[in-house]
Amino acid sequence: MVRVTRFRFLRQFLVGLVCVVMIAACGGGGDTSTPAGDAAGGGSDRLVVATEPAFPPFEFQAEDGSLAGFDIDLMNAIGEAAGFEVEFQSLPFDGIIPALQSNTVDAAISGMTITAARLETVDFSRPYIAAGLAIAVQESNTDINSIDDLEGKRIAVQIGTTGAETANGIANAQVSTFDSAPLALQELANGNADAVINDAPVTLDAIASGNIPGLKVIGELVTEEYYGIALPKGSPNLERVNSGMATIIENGTYAEIFQTWFGAEPPELPEEAPL
Ligand code: ARG
């Protein structure tokens, strides 16, 4: 059931994207010769990777408490391909960039959108998936049909996200922020918000899984976004992460992981996120 819905969503979503995205060659991630160890702490064989794990299907805690999701599998596969071990560290989403800036963590994979503003403070890997923001409302709602209808409305968002930023740009909106996307969606389900702006795949997963009942997603995507793995500015590990990613895209591991979580063939990815 969940799978079917995810699949339908993805078909819609990805087919749409294919029309828009200028597809670049997937292979050839530049220089793929792996540096065995760069200067300044490069070549460490264990990277501490931050994530905010309440964002299924990208990252979440399985019943046994272990981390699961597309991002988790992807990061582990990149580590395997590039020759480093991954140690995940759970952090609040709005604490991830500060942790990268202070070098408390080596990298972050957290459904994090590559944005021009973030690129001023951190580096990003090549894009690893396309996503975008969607508006969720209560199933019975008929007066919110596009982003223009959100003026003056109560909007719930996760703190520090592109959804929060978008909501803050809407005239007269009353924006309430939550520590996680599920909490924002719950606020909407409870009737204390009129809408949620959040990453479409995550909102659709929450609806499809039945975790948060009584919601629907309206209209089209509000934005098109690409996720990247974030690293401290100038990190010697950027090249290793990119070459690991190139390897798993070429050898089919990326496609396998994509199948597992989205039940579809992955679309080709651009080498750089259009900003
Ligand atoms: N893609 C959005 C952003 O970068 C939301 C990411 C939230 N991720 C998470 N693991 N909670 O702002």
Side-chain angles (χ1 to χ4, degrees):
M1 178 72 180
V2 172
R3 192 145 283 203
V4 170
T5 313
R6 268 187 193 156
F7 181 71
R8 271 179 38 212
F9 151 67
L10 256 145
R11 269 214 355 226
Q12 229 181 351
F13 177 54
L14 299 175
V15 165
L17 272 178
V18 168
C19 310
V20 186
V21 173
M22 280 292 103
I23 296 163
C26 234
D31 174 16
T32 48
S33 63
T34 318
D38 259 340
S44 146
D45 45 25
R46 197 175 50 102
L47 297 197
V48 177
V49 180
T51 193
E52 190 281 304
F55 210 59
F58 296 102
E59 44 267 334
F60 57 97
Q61 267 177 313
E63 269 165 32
D64 65 359
S66 64
L67 289 176
F70 177 80
D71 286 357
I72 305 302
D73 286 353
L74 187 77
M75 195 69 225
N76 282 326
I78 289 171
E80 219 164 282
F84 59 82
E85 244 178 77
V86 176
E87 183 189 323
F88 288 104
Q89 185 173 317
S90 297
L91 285 181
F93 189 72
D94 63 342
I96 290 180
I97 289 188
L100 289 165
Q101 286 181 292
S102 62
N103 280 292
T104 326
V105 297
D106 298 306
I109 190 162
S110 202
M112 190 179 278
T113 304
I114 303 171
T115 68
R118 288 174 179 159
L119 277 167
E120 286 175 16
T121 50
V122 295
D123 283 346
F124 276 100
S125 69
R126 59 188 283 178
Y128 68 83
I129 199 166
L133 297 175
I135 297 167
V137 296
Q138 287 201 340
E139 232 158 30
S140 55
N141 182 299
T142 50
D143 56 285
I144 299 176
N145 299 301
S146 82
I147 191 152
D148 299 334
D149 299 329
L150 290 181
E151 274 191 30
K153 292 287 196 296
R154 300 169 302 167
I155 308 173
V157 294
Q158 180 180 14
I159 191 164
T161 58
T162 49
E165 203 183 293
T166 303
N168 286 330
I170 296 172
N172 302 319
Q174 301 160 49
V175 180
S176 47
T177 53
F178 293 84
D179 287 340
S180 74
L183 287 174
L185 290 165
Q186 193 57 57
E187 184 79 349
L188 172 61
N190 294 346
N192 298 325
D194 302 307
V196 163
I197 304 180
N198 182 46
D199 298 47
V202 173
T203 296
L204 288 163
D205 188 84
I207 293 171
S209 67
N211 286 344
I212 302 176
L215 304 185
K216 66 179 179 190
V217 161
I218 58 143
E220 288 161 15
L221 290 180
V222 176
T223 55
E224 175 186 296
E225 302 184 358
Y226 287 88
Y227 295 166
I229 297 168
L231 297 100
K233 262 239 164 297
S235 167
N237 296 309
L238 177 62
E239 206 183 328
R240 292 207 293 167
V241 167
N242 276 335
S243 80
M245 204 183 305
T247 304
I248 66 166
I249 290 173
E250 273 160 33
N251 72 15
T253 306
Y254 176 89
E256 241 171 66
I257 297 172
F258 197 97
Q259 267 294 345
T260 302
W261 293 101
F262 300 108
E265 285 297 310
E268 284 190 75
L269 287 165
E271 293 240 1
E272 272 190 35
L275 293 176

